Amino acid sequence: METHGEFIPLDLHSTYFLRLPIGRLTESFRDNRFASRKNFDGVPLSDDYVVAQNLVDTVFTLGNTNTNRQSLFEQVLVPITEIWNSTTLNALPRSFDEALIANREDIGMTHQPNATRPLEWLEVNGKCIDNIVPGRSTIDGAGHGAFASRDLPNGTVITGTPLHHIPFQDEFTPMYRVVTRRQKQFLDKRQIAGQQLILNYCFGHPHTTLLLCPYGFGVNYINHNRSKANVRIRWAQNGFTSHDESWLLKSPSEMLAETGAHLALDYVATRDIKEDEELFLDYGEDWEKAWYEHVKDWQSTKFWSDTYRNGRDWDSELKELTVRTILEASTDPYPTNIQTRCHSILDEDAWTNFTWSVFEYGYPCEILERAKGDAGSYMYTVKLTTEPHNQYDTEFESSETLVVNNVPRDAIRFFDIPSTSDIHLRDAFRYSIGLPDELMQEAWKNQQDKAL
């Protein structure tokens, strides 16, 4: 959806978990994410924890006393973990004391010892992470919004979120023009083409270069509404949700070399909120002024933006219709931002069904021919070009062009051509959420009244 150049590409997919062992939550995308990235080499996957648990249990079965078990553990398992970088071995406990915990409770407790707390402790200190559900905003043209999943009394901590810190905004958020010199392309940092989309989701202040970007579940769906604001933010309690109060005294320069989350926010209800009621923050006077000026002056820089339809729209509206061949598309073309892509399983020798998961992007393909099959539905002959799925994918050292016959319609989908969606409009709205003055710290002040 595009609203005067503010395009927020958030899907309303549910978050779910594959398994909930004591002390560890394994997210549905975790294994795919780590397995496909070389810089996560050695990170244990779900099955590795199961094997590691079995190894620990075997040691405790073979040893009839804790002395014997400790000897087996330290003389067999520990030396192996020091020699090999194996995902399974990296899931093993690092000491016999940890092995005792793994055998008595669960191996996850050795990796996240504080992940399981007594109910009494949770009632005092815990925060629900399911108070927010996404949905279509009640604000016309705003796209998605955040809604209360249950009644939330005034003062309820709706959720908490750690914060990514960006000490110097100008070194991170600008997007630069690409120039060609001597047949090579370069980013010309003298020519700023726009700002990164992430800016719209981060908290900033005119007196600092620091940006604080929340990544807790649901918080980025909370829209601005000054008159209906029913949520406020405050600093989390020290030691909770990764919040470290000492960071309130650090300058942006001192944060530069630090990684990980060290600051966190709580989102608090400012009045009684009913179930299914939309949640709103006040983004601040500066943000609202910038938005209305943007709306007043808005003129799209792309000729197709007024009639823009993304790939998902085309899929949902045209999934029952035939896909145009190259010849047909030459006289009746698809929009300039749309491309057809075929399921990546087509590059294999045998295939039966086509599951388009969130990780499946397919390969660029062209429709050569279309003909009705024996069952009466159309089958396609396609020419597809293989390509890496991401920068860590080494399956294809170079692209291959394949012609595949008898491809069903559900193996073909529409996607946006890279860099053509509304988030790439040159003059799209980009402005950080205002960090309230009462949360702004003296140590962070390193500029005077700079526009956000």
Side-chain angles (χ1 to χ4, degrees), residues 234-279:
R234 72 183 186 194
W235 294 121
Q237 183 180 345
N238 189 42
F240 289 78
T241 329
S242 303
H243 186 63
D244 180 354
E245 284 186 349
S246 68
W247 270 60
L248 302 178
L249 304 177
K250 287 181 178 286
S251 68
S253 295
E254 292 173 315
M255 299 178 186
L256 195 57
E258 300 283 351
T259 59
H262 300 275
L263 294 168
L265 290 172
D266 284 340
Y267 288 70
V268 183
T270 58
R271 59 169 176 79
D272 292 343
I273 300 172
K274 294 294 184 182
E275 182 180 352
D276 295 328
E277 184 178 348
E278 185 165 4
L279 307 177

Side-chain angles (χ1 to χ4, degrees), residues 56 60 66 69-70 73 93 95-106 110:
V56 171
F60 277 74
N66 277 351
R69 292 162 183 162
Q70 183 172 1
F73 181 83
S95 68
F96 184 68
D97 287 340
E98 289 185 353
L100 286 169
I101 295 172
N103 178 255
R104 183 175 64 248
E105 300 185 45
D106 181 271
T110 67

Side-chain angles (χ1 to χ4, degrees), residues 148 173-174 181 279:
T173 60
R181 295 173 185 158
L279 307 177

